[in-house]
Amino acid sequence: MRKIIYSMSISLDGFFEGPDRDISWHCVDDELHRYFNQRIAELGGFLHGRVVHELMADFWPTADQDPANAGPVADFAVIWRNMPKYVYSRTLERADWNTTIVREVVAEEVRALKEQPGGDLGLGGADLAASFAALDLIDEYRVYVHPVLIGRGRSMFPSTDSRTSLRLAGTRTFGSGVVELRYERA
C-alpha cells in the first residue's frame, strides 16, 4: 500500500513560513533541490490544498522555459507538470496540469487512493496536513530543518490535544546546514 508522506521545510524555531508568507529564508541550494527532485520524482502524486496548489501553479508550469531557471529548478518544473495532483478545495472551480479537485478529506476515499498502484503520495500544506493528521492518515513525516531562526510565523503543526507516537526512520545533513528528519508512525 502507498504511504502518505508529509514534507515541510521549517526554521530551527519551528515555523514553515514567516509573516506575510515569507519563505525567503529557505536554504535550498542545488544539492538540496536535486535531492528534493529525486525524492519527489519517486512519488505517485501530490495531495495539496488550494493555497499550495495555486502557489505552485503560478510558477512551475513554465518555470523551465526561463533560462535563469536551469538545472534542478527546470528539472522540477517537468516533474511537477507530469505528476498527478489531487487538490483539496471547496472553492476551486477548475485546475489544469494533471489535477483532480477533491472537495472534502474523507478517510475512506484517501485510504482507497492509497490502495491504488503507484508510488507514495506527497502531502503538502499545513492546513491540509492537519486534516489528514486528525484522521490518522499520515504515514511518514519528512521535516527539513533550516539553520535559521525567524522569530515568528506559522507552525508546521497546529495545536492539538492528540498525541502521535513516531519512530526515527532516518536523518541526513546537507552542505547548506539543512537537516532532514524522517519519522514514521510507531
Side-chain angles (χ1 to χ4, degrees), residues 31-52:
E31 176 196 20
L32 185 58
H33 209 299
R34 281 188 192 94
Y35 180 76
F36 285 160
N37 288 356
Q38 177 187 2
R39 298 302 291 246
I40 291 169
E42 299 168 351
L43 295 174
F46 294 129
L47 308 171
H48 288 162
R50 180 191 53 81
V51 172
V52 170

Side-chain angles (χ1 to χ4, degrees):
M1 182 181 301
R2 305 197 282 185
K3 295 188 298 186
I4 293 178
I5 301 168
Y6 177 33
S7 298
M8 185 70 77
S9 287
I10 64 169
S11 62
L12 184 59
D13 48 354
F15 302 110
F16 72 90
E17 65 182 14
D20 300 318
R21 294 200 165 141
D22 177 31
I23 59 169
S24 64
W25 49 269
H26 284 193
C27 306
V28 181
D29 60 7
D30 282 353
E31 176 196 20
L32 185 58
H33 209 299
R34 281 188 192 94
Y35 180 76
F36 285 160
N37 288 356
Q38 177 187 2
R39 298 302 291 246
I40 291 169
E42 299 168 351
L43 295 174
F46 294 129
L47 308 171
H48 288 162
R50 180 191 53 81
V51 172
V52 170
H53 178 73
E54 287 178 342
L55 289 170
M56 301 294 276
D58 282 346
F59 180 75
W60 292 110
T62 59
D64 57 336
Q65 295 172 15
D66 183 343
N69 293 332
V73 173
D75 295 342
F76 182 77
V78 175
I79 294 167
W80 187 86
R81 277 195 307 267
N82 293 332
M83 185 70 62
K85 291 168 266 312
Y86 301 88
V87 178
Y88 288 81
S89 173
R90 293 182 189 102
T91 59
L92 192 64
E93 294 296 323
R94 67 182 293 278
D96 295 320
W97 310 108
N98 200 14
T99 303
T100 301
I101 298 172
V102 183
R103 296 293 176 205
E104 300 284 336
V105 178
V106 178
E108 295 77 24
E109 292 175 7
V110 174
R111 287 186 190 102
L113 185 60
K114 288 174 63 172
E115 290 176 2
Q116 293 179 9
D120 294 333
L121 301 166
L123 177 62
D127 294 335
L128 182 61
S131 297
F132 273 65
L135 296 170
D136 196 31
L137 294 170
I138 301 174
D139 301 296
E140 183 176 321
Y141 294 83
R142 293 182 186 167
V143 182
Y144 298 89
V145 182
H146 293 246
V148 62
L149 301 170
I150 64 171
R152 60 191 175 99
R154 288 189 61 202
S155 175
M156 176 180 175
F157 302 104
S159 298
T160 180
D161 292 328
S162 66
R163 178 183 294 208
T164 302
S165 296
L166 304 170
R167 72 171 185 79
L168 184 64
T171 64
R172 179 171 174 164
T173 303
F174 297 89
S176 62
V178 171
V179 175
E180 176 192 47
L181 303 171
R182 286 189 314 109
Y183 289 95
E184 295 176 345
R185 277 192 289 180

